[in-house]
Structure formats: C-alpha cells, structure tokens
Amino acid sequence: MQAPPEVLRLLQNLLEHAYAPYSGYPVAAVVRSSRGNLYGGVNVENAAYPLSRCAEQAAVLQMVSAGEREIAEVWVLSRGEAPATPCGGCRQVLSEFAPPWAPVHCLSTGGGELHTTLGQLLPHAFSRNHLR
Ligand code: THU
C-alpha cells in the first residue's frame, strides 16, 4: 500500500531535516488532521539525550500549534529495512488527539511497511476519560 504522493514527498523531504547526530537514526512523521491538512515533524536530538524529541511528537506539536486537535491518520518514515514504529511515549501523545481506529502507516526507505492502527499499538490507552 502506497502513501499518497504528497505525503511521501513530504516525508522524504522531512527525513533530510531530521536532527539525529547521536543516534544516527533520522525519522520523519506526518499527521493528517480531520480537516485534511498535513503536519510534519522530525526527530530533534539533544546532547542532553533525554531532551531529544521524536518525529511524531514534533508533528503533533505542529498540528496543535496550527489550531487543530484531531488526527485522522499517521505516517512514519525511517531508514533501513524495518520501519520504525512510534515509541511508547509517542503512542500516548498521538492518542491524546487520535481515535483508536486512526491508521498508522510505518514506512522505511528500504521498502518495509507496517500498517496498523493506534488502538492496536496502544490498547487500553490512558485518556482524559479516566480523569473524570
Ligand atoms: N524516533 C522517532 O523519532 N520516532 C520513532 O518512531 C522511533 C524513534 C527517534 C528517537 C531518537 O531520536 C531516534 O529515533 C533513535 O531512537
């Protein structure tokens, strides 16, 4: 299953902007909002390692900063064969703004693909409903 051409182009351009001097593992992410807009992000690492940010979180920050709060679909692009899947923290951050049925497409430059949903990646997510 291919990503839409504009999404693929955006992911490929973003991957060039990833700042990953410590891990050497660039990642790009794109979220499509419920209004159909695309927001991209890359991983931005830091010499103080724990302050590094993942690509998915950078994309979510862009979307929310633009005034949107509903993720309809997620794409992730990484290098190599096995596509990166969102880390546990990113799954939680995505779940703040995406329903469990939101498709998550993980692609690699080597041609690997994993197509799943946020609910499959993070079952029984902690959410604002628990706080009521
Ligand atoms: N990383 C992401 O940005 N997204 C993922 O889906 C997996 C991992 C980043 C974090 C770190 O900068 C590098 O990849 C290696 O873990």
Side-chain angles (χ1 to χ4, degrees), residues 19-20 23 25-27 42-45 52-56 76 84-87 90:
Y19 180 72
S23 70
Y25 191 75
V27 181
V42 298
N43 53 338
V44 180
E45 298 185 344
S52 299
R53 281 289 165 272
C54 290
E56 295 88 333
V76 180
T85 54
C87 76
C90 285

